[in-house]
Amino acid sequence: MPVGNAVEVCQLVKEFEYYKKDIGMRQSLKNLFFRKKLVKKAVNAVSFAIEEGEMVGFLGPNGAGKTTTLKMLSGILHPTSGSANVFGYTPWERKKPFKQLFSIVMGQKSQLWPDLPAGESIYLNKCIYQVPDEEYRRTLDELSGLLEVRKLLGVQVRRLSLGERMKMELIASLIHRPRLMYLDEPTIGLDMMSQRAVRNFLKYYNEQYRATVILTSHYMKDIEDLCSRVILINAGTILYDGELKRIGTRHEERKLIKLFFSEEISPELLLAFGDVKESDGNYAVVEVGKDEVRLCLQQFLDKFPVVDFNIEDLQIEDGIARLYSGSV
Amino acid sequence: MNVVIELRRHLYLLVLFAKNSLLSQMEYRFNFVAGIFVETAFLMAKLLYVSVVYQTNVHVDGMTPDTILMFMGTHILLTGLYMGLFYNNFLRITEYVRTGMLDLMMVKPVSLQFLVSFRYIETGMPLPNIVAGSVMVAIGWKASEIPFTLFNLGAFLIFLALATILTYCVMIIPALLSFWFVNTSAASEISYSIWDANNMPYMIYNKWIQRIGTFIIPVFIITNYAPLLVLNRLRGIHLLWGILAPLIFFILIRLLWKQALKAYSSSNL
């Protein structure tokens, strides 16, 4: 493994067996005696490398293979084939020194005891990770202060809000100061203020401790604020691995023209000018090439009863969506 | 040295699990107290067996009702230990597998088998069984005129500890099957029935059932061998098997556990 790489993944494949059952009692009876096994390739020959201290966004639609990849890299799942090297360890060998190096936070799963104050679960982690007393006190003080939850350490977890609980999950996961963090949708379901607090905290932790972070999130704001590099995955295959801003550069060549009409205009009439992204009769959004904006706009004004218009850049989400759909 | 350090660490974690479990259970006062009452009621039902044994003056393989009481007491005592240490944890293993909650436990730098086997320790509910079982053993012991020596007491306690290991090995099997079949409630029901059928000296069964229950699914060792030892009726191959079986079955369960983990496919529920 080249010096400086925290994670190296080579041709990683994960297949799951499953079976289908159509609805209805008859199908259930049939299914009781005969099940046709099907195989789903959740991750298909994925390869990438991540440098130590890097913060990488792992993006993809639901079922793309993000979580499965993270589970293989944390040793939870055995891959069907391929190899991975995380700080010199093969994750699925599940060696104790490897487990000391990383932590995983899943937005939809909790490691805290719901009926106890979060402080008890954090202390349990301190004992499991064998964190020395002095270091534990210092880390707990620092993290709870940064996340502004010091006063809540004694409150039963089930009485905390979702945002407060997630902050406690982060403290419990970081109490042993891991060098690598897998964050699987850590801001899911949180309000804007909590999302921002978690983002600021992650940024601080990454900079302060040079921790390597792999983050999956469906909120683009998380990715834009935290990750300069993204890996886009869809149907188990990597579509793009590079700088986030380069996805923007690609679609900087495109513009959106938003048109408001005084009477209903059929979308078919607009197709000749570009991709019609939206249309409801009196309103339409047309995507055109940057160089064609002036000409198209002139023709719209000449041919249609335009009462107002706007020219906008494409959002990064649009570029990502185009990558997912294979149109770039 | 490493083994000793790891053992101490795991014992300390066990104490923490027990503490956290007790704190959790005491959060729900009504359930905590009601659980003790429910178990006491179940215990009363079991004690009806005792009155039947005494009223009918049943003798099993030359053993008087007083001696049989020792076997029944051992069964109730071990039921308490099983309820306290394992029952809740084994039920949860199936749930961890079904929902994928095992994920967050797998990444901890501590034995996963230890973590899922002892994470929740029941403190209130097993108390009636443990107290009543101990009292029954004591009464049966005295009535059977077994000398109360340090050696006898030590031997009985060692065989109780071995029986606890075997209890773990036998009763965890349905939970482990959930790694392959997810829902294993039918297998669990079978194991509970086998457990309940073990509350009398195993001599009441025919030879073949005795052999199967001793050497293949060693449930009879659990309740029978500790009292038989102090009654001086455990000799030869049975004495040796009583010591070796827990070790052999624990190794087998450890291997089965490793296979089960390989079959784990996680879940996003």
Side-chain angles (χ1 to χ4, degrees), chain A residues 71 109 111 115 128 158, chain B residues 9 28 103 108 266-267:
Chain A
K71 283 180 181 176
K109 286 176 184 168
Q111 64 167 314
D115 298 321
I128 287 174
R158 68 185 179 89
Chain B
R9 181 170 159 245
Y28 305 99
D103 293 358
K108 300 279 181 241
S266 187
S267 165

Side-chain angles (χ1 to χ4, degrees), chain B residues 87-134:
Chain B
Y87 176 73
N88 253 323
N89 290 299
F90 294 172
L91 272 187
R92 285 170 198 256
I93 289 176
T94 308
E95 200 56 18
Y96 296 151
V97 172
R98 197 181 67 79
T99 59
M101 283 306 293
L102 199 64
D103 293 358
L104 290 177
M105 297 183 204
M106 287 175 101
V107 297
K108 300 279 181 241
V110 66
S111 160
L112 180 63
Q113 189 178 350
F114 167 79
L115 195 59
V116 298
S117 299
F118 296 103
R119 196 160 186 243
Y120 294 96
I121 293 173
E122 195 68 50
T123 41
M125 275 165 69
L127 272 182
N129 280 310
I130 292 174
V131 172
S134 305

Side-chain angles (χ1 to χ4, degrees), chain A residues 144 148-155 168:
Chain A
S144 59
E148 297 174 349
V149 287
R150 205 171 281 157
K151 286 181 182 163
L152 298 173
L153 286 167
V155 177
M168 295 299 183

Side-chain angles (χ1 to χ4, degrees), chain A residues 108-168:
Chain A
Q108 314 231 41
K109 286 176 184 168
S110 174
Q111 64 167 314
L112 306 173
W113 290 52
D115 298 321
L116 295 181
E120 299 279 2
S121 296
I122 296 168
Y123 181 73
L124 185 63
N125 269 9
K126 173 246 184 242
C127 297
I128 287 174
Y129 285 97
Q130 296 170 285
V131 181
D133 290 345
E134 184 50 38
E135 191 185 320
Y136 164 69
R137 272 192 288 273
R138 217 176 330 116
T139 309
L140 182 61
D141 194 53
E142 182 194 7
L143 301 184
S144 59
L146 277 166
L147 287 164
E148 297 174 349
V149 287
R150 205 171 281 157
K151 286 181 182 163
L152 298 173
L153 286 167
V155 177
Q156 249 185 338
V157 169
R158 68 185 179 89
R159 297 191 190 280
L160 298 174
S161 71
L162 194 61
E164 290 164 347
R165 186 182 68 74
M166 182 44 70
K167 289 175 183 175
M168 295 299 183

Side-chain angles (χ1 to χ4, degrees), chain B residues 186-208:
Chain B
S188 296
E189 286 302 322
I190 294 169
S191 68
Y192 301 151
S193 301
I194 292 173
W195 180 264
D196 284 339
N198 197 21
N199 66 345
M200 290 285 278
Y202 74 134
M203 298 81 168
I204 61 167
Y205 298 105
N206 71 37
K207 286 281 175 208
W208 274 107

Side-chain angles (χ1 to χ4, degrees), chain A residues 1-68:
Chain A
M1 188 157 87
V3 178
N5 274 351
V7 179
E8 275 195 4
V9 177
C10 184
Q11 295 293 307
L12 210 57
V13 173
K14 180 65 188 176
E15 291 176 347
F16 287 108
E17 281 184 356
Y18 70 108
Y19 64 89
K20 270 186 183 168
K21 188 193 81 68
D22 292 328
I23 54 169
M25 177 60 84
R26 205 172 142 190
Q27 294 302 324
S28 289
L29 280 171
K30 191 178 152 193
N31 184 60
L32 199 57
F33 299 101
F34 176 74
R35 288 175 186 179
K36 190 182 172 191
K37 266 188 191 171
L38 300 165
V39 175
K40 185 190 176 189
K41 218 171 224 184
V43 173
N44 188 8
V46 160
S47 301
F48 58 85
I50 294 172
E51 276 181 33
E52 191 167 358
E54 212 178 348
M55 209 165 184
V56 176
F58 207 45
L59 299 181
N62 291 330
K66 309 181 295 290
T67 304
T68 304

Side-chain angles (χ1 to χ4, degrees), chain B residues 73-265:
Chain B
T74 309
H75 174 73
I76 288 173
L77 173 57
L78 280 163
T79 302
L81 289 176
Y82 166 58
M83 295 289 289
L85 291 172
F86 310 132
Y87 176 73
N88 253 323
N89 290 299
F90 294 172
L91 272 187
R92 285 170 198 256
I93 289 176
T94 308
E95 200 56 18
Y96 296 151
V97 172
R98 197 181 67 79
T99 59
M101 283 306 293
L102 199 64
D103 293 358
L104 290 177
M105 297 183 204
M106 287 175 101
V107 297
K108 300 279 181 241
V110 66
S111 160
L112 180 63
Q113 189 178 350
F114 167 79
L115 195 59
V116 298
S117 299
F118 296 103
R119 196 160 186 243
Y120 294 96
I121 293 173
E122 195 68 50
T123 41
M125 275 165 69
L127 272 182
N129 280 310
I130 292 174
V131 172
S134 305
V135 170
M136 286 163 73
V137 169
I139 294 169
W141 187 303
K142 192 165 188 293
S144 303
E145 295 176 349
I146 301 165
F148 190 72
T149 61
L150 200 61
F151 178 80
N152 271 347
L153 182 68
F156 188 82
L157 290 177
I158 287 170
F159 268 69
L160 265 191
L162 293 171
T164 308
I165 295 171
L166 266 182
T167 302
Y168 174 84
C169 296
V170 172
M171 300 306 275
I172 199 175
I173 292 171
L176 290 188
L177 293 178
S178 64
F179 281 88
W180 288 278
F181 307 110
V182 185
N183 190 344
T184 54
S185 56
S188 296
E189 286 302 322
I190 294 169
S191 68
Y192 301 151
S193 301
I194 292 173
W195 180 264
D196 284 339
N198 197 21
N199 66 345
M200 290 285 278
Y202 74 134
M203 298 81 168
I204 61 167
Y205 298 105
N206 71 37
K207 286 281 175 208
W208 274 107
I209 293 180
Q210 285 184 32
R211 282 170 192 151
I212 292 169
T214 304
F215 297 105
I216 298 174
I217 310 166
V219 283
F220 290 148
I221 297 178
I222 294 170
T223 301
N224 289 271
Y225 276 28
L228 284 175
L229 184 74
V230 289
L231 285 165
N232 208 16
R233 291 180 62 158
L234 192 71
R235 295 190 191 99
I237 189 154
H238 283 280
L239 181 62
L240 188 65
W241 183 237
I243 296 163
L244 288 180
L247 189 68
I248 292 168
F249 278 89
F250 188 77
I251 291 168
L252 289 176
I253 287 298
R254 184 78 190 136
L255 295 174
L256 186 66
W257 171 264
K258 287 184 174 172
Q259 285 304 312
L261 275 192
K262 281 185 186 163
Y264 180 61
S265 56

